[in-house]
Amino acid sequence: MSASAERRPRSGGEDVIVALDRPAELLSVEPVAMLERDARIEPGADEIVNELLCRSKVQRRARIVVTLPAEQVTAGIAETLQTALHRYCEARLARVQREIEVAWRQGLRSLGSGSILFVVGLLLSTGFLEPDVPQFWQDLLGNGVFLVIGWVGLWYPLDLLFFARQPLKREAQIVEAISRMPLVVQAADVP
């Protein structure tokens, strides 16, 4: 069965619907599935995260609807899947938080060498802007090459400190929202 998360509006929020063939597909898929044309190749939990990352806003009353073949819907399966999804969210959130911290530390570390490159670039740029330097070299090296080198030195650290962490922060918010969403299990419609 080809499965994908879809949006199904309901009063108060948009559900995230994930069609699974087996409950275990919420967290993992068999590697052999890559050889099958219509098999699930992405765990349902990852699909939920990706679906919500694509949305501009997660509705407060949205819920996760897992559809399974009727014979797979058993007593307590919703609670089991909810617990498994909570554990998945805890693990993914911990990983994302580590990645945010690593980006911050890398940004701080690279700020030192980037600042040195920035200062050297500005000093060399200023040196080539002296009145006794021919206009060609002033334009090429003073207002060009060395000025660009100086700014490039700061770009990487500033990118890590202010921009690169934003997608990770968004992912953390989505994963936290998923951990609070109710999970409902329904029997799949048989075509």
Side-chain angles (χ1 to χ4, degrees), residues 18 25-27 40 42-50 85 88 92 178:
V18 180
E25 288 180 342
L26 181 65
L27 301 175
R40 169 175 284 285
E42 177 182 38
D46 290 345
E47 190 175 321
I48 293 166
V49 172
N50 293 335
L85 189 59
Y88 167 88
R92 184 152 179 172
I178 291 170

Side-chain angles (χ1 to χ4, degrees), residues 109-124:
R109 246 184 255 128
S110 63
L111 192 57
S113 58
S115 296
I116 291 169
L117 188 58
F118 175 73
V119 169
V120 168
L122 285 183
L123 289 174
L124 289 171

Side-chain angles (χ1 to χ4, degrees), residues 55-142:
R55 295 183 185 182
S56 59
K57 184 178 178 185
V58 177
Q59 299 295 327
R60 232 184 294 171
R61 291 202 213 146
R63 60 187 185 159
I64 299 165
V65 178
V66 174
T67 63
L68 288 166
E71 67 274 5
Q72 297 283 334
V73 179
T74 59
I77 192 66
E79 293 80 19
T80 300
L81 292 179
Q82 182 81 55
T83 301
L85 189 59
H86 263 258
R87 292 180 70 203
Y88 167 88
C89 289
E90 288 172 0
R92 184 152 179 172
L93 188 58
R95 189 196 78 218
V96 170
Q97 293 297 346
R98 281 191 307 273
E99 290 175 7
I100 290 170
E101 291 170 15
V102 165
W104 177 257
R105 284 193 307 270
Q106 283 179 333
L108 288 177
R109 246 184 255 128
S110 63
L111 192 57
S113 58
S115 296
I116 291 169
L117 188 58
F118 175 73
V119 169
V120 168
L122 285 183
L123 289 174
L124 289 171
S125 174
T126 304
F128 279 96
L129 292 176
E130 296 294 326
D132 59 333
V133 175
Q135 188 65 41
F136 173 79
W137 295 113
Q138 284 184 14
D139 292 341
L140 179 68
L141 300 174

